[in-house]
Amino acid sequence: MHITVVGSGYVGLVAGACFADLEHEVILVDNDQKKLADLRAGQIPIHENFLPELLDRHRGRRLTFSDDIQAATQASAAVFIAVGTPPTEQGEADLSYVESVARSISGAINSYKVIVEKSTVPVYTSEWIRKIMLRNAAPPDAFDVASNPEFLREGTAVTDFLYPDRIVLGADSERCASVLREIYAPLTDGSYYRRKDAIPRPDRAAVMPTAIVTSAKSAELIKHASNAFLAMKISFVNAVASICESVGANVQQVCRGIGTDSRIGPRFLNPGIGYGGSCFPKDLMAFRSVARECGYEFRLLDEVMRINEDQRQRFLRKVRNALWTLRGKRLGVLGLAFKGGTDDIRESPAILLVQSLVQEGCQVAAYDPAARERAREMLNSSVEFTDNAYEAATNADALLILTEWDEFANLDLDRLHKALKYPIVIDGRNLYDPEVMAARGFTYYSVGRAPVSPEGHATDTAPSLRTSTS
Ligand SMILES: NC(=O)c1ccc[n+]([C@@H]2O[C@H](COP(=O)([O-])OP(=O)(O)OC[C@H]3O[C@@H](n4cnc5c(N)ncnc54)[C@H](O)[C@@H]3O)[C@@H](O)[C@H]2O)c1
């Protein structure tokens, strides 16, 4: 099938490359000329596993790049809108990019086409897209608007796209649904998975994804409700971790006990420094706004957001408790991306923490395997960037682990001990076993587990952590 994907960011670029791998003919449209030039020249603007392979395989063949949205639309049976939907100051989704795309394609409807929302948008957006296109003279019988929300996670985006748990197809007519079904048929009939050159199946992938056909409105709500639920799970476990810290329990043990209940499941039960990224924070705010507009005060979401914010403040208190005063202290920081496996620093809790620490007068030496360049633009000269974890630790008063990159879980602990001025590690991602860290000579703080020191006893939990939040 001939497909246009408008917006070649984290979602559009991955979706376009994966559609090409499903043997569709794909035009990726963007209005960022530099991005297009880089893509045509073989550069890859984001860090994502398997994306280089897919772009190499299809660039200039099944996958082309263009800034001509109208020509691309005319040549396609389906147009996926994957532009940004950032938050407004009031916390609603800014849909002006989506509207601008809808206007641009209206005049190019030369045969039946399905316009597909891939961006995360509030309920009713599909109706608005249709209205805008009709206002701009698109023939009413020649197009349908569908919602096909994207559930990929940065860091595992390609395998998430090709091996999803489910594919949600929000279509209000059978004609429209059948176009969407055809696009995803290589996944839902399993033919893609039988191919020798298929991107390898990740360990936890479902055998075959289920296609869930819904109305467009239901599909829009599925995406917002899914992200809100996942964020709730993270805040829930962070709240439990705070109680564990107060009573001296171990959150890892508690999570094992909770997560083995099949009704709950073990995933997204990792305490840490809170969620971030370009999706959860903005999607929760947008979902709360949508609910409010519909006359429902979704107070649960307020609390999820409050716990998330508080989790960062708790971590800062932990750093203070470990080091007493902060001004002039040198801190090694491991991780700036909002999660492991990506170079994305949008709403990264690691960046927000580094900014607070710099403001308090700390000198920060930071290392991230992929996000350095993006972080440099945001943090500029206030932070020193190093080439590896040990350099970041060199002569530091403490080492902070802020992103769960695999390589941070496998450090040479003797080398780290030698590099640090004081062997203090404050781990916001629980990458190490406290007993092992104490045995290797570290004073080690983590989340929801008692701090430990080489003397073999739990270091005193300072009063500000024992008393509740604020
Ligand atoms: N990033 C994720 O993990 C993720 C996951 C699921 C859903 N989403 C949703 O997908 C959407 C896109 O997210 P993203 O992270 O890919 O954003 P992004 O900012 O990385 O990419 C958006 C792209 O759209 C382009 N663009 C903007 N207006 C355009 C126009 N009028 N014509 C052509 N191109 C235009 C921009 O230049 C940019 O390249 C958002 O709604 C987001 O919430 C994101």
Side-chain angles (χ1 to χ4, degrees), residues 399-419:
L399 183 75
L400 275 46
I401 303 178
L402 302 184
T403 307
E404 70 281 31
W405 281 97
D406 286 346
E407 71 170 84
F408 298 160
N410 296 297
L411 295 170
D412 175 339
L413 293 178
D414 291 335
R415 193 173 162 197
L416 193 67
H417 196 284
K418 277 195 200 111

Side-chain angles (χ1 to χ4, degrees), residues 13 172 459:
L13 186 56
D172 294 326
T459 31

Side-chain angles (χ1 to χ4, degrees), residues 6-12 29-32 35 69 82-85 97 100-101 118-120 150-154 223 278-279 282-283 344 346:
V6 186
S8 41
Y10 284 89
V11 167
V29 172
D30 209 287
N31 58 4
D32 179 337
K35 196 178 265 189
I69 191 169
V83 298
T85 48
Y97 301 97
S100 147
V101 172
K118 198 57 152 161
S119 301
T120 301
E150 184 49 59
F151 300 100
L152 65 76
R153 298 158 300 168
E154 289 176 24
K223 176 62 189 177
S278 68
C279 292
K282 89 169 165 59
D283 292 346
D344 197 346
R346 292 178 286 182

Side-chain angles (χ1 to χ4, degrees), residues 334-348:
L334 300 188
L336 296 163
F338 85 93
K339 60 182 282 197
T342 179
D343 59 348
D344 197 346
I345 56 164
R346 292 178 286 182
E347 296 290 319
S348 167

Side-chain angles (χ1 to χ4, degrees), residues 118-186:
K118 198 57 152 161
S119 301
T120 301
V121 291
V123 66
Y124 286 119
T125 303
S126 60
E127 286 191 2
W128 270 108
I129 293 176
R130 182 163 185 85
K131 263 188 228 167
I132 294 299
M133 290 183 63
L134 292 174
R135 256 182 222 167
N136 287 280
D141 297 331
F143 75 98
D144 277 308
V145 182
S147 165
N148 168 224
E150 184 49 59
F151 300 100
L152 65 76
R153 298 158 300 168
E154 289 176 24
T156 50
V158 168
T159 47
D160 285 348
F161 192 97
L162 292 169
Y163 294 88
D165 294 335
R166 79 306 205 184
I167 299 167
V168 174
L169 306 175
D172 294 326
S173 75
E174 184 42 44
R175 189 183 190 192
C176 173
S178 69
V179 171
L180 292 174
R181 276 200 200 93
E182 194 182 329
I183 291 171
Y184 285 103

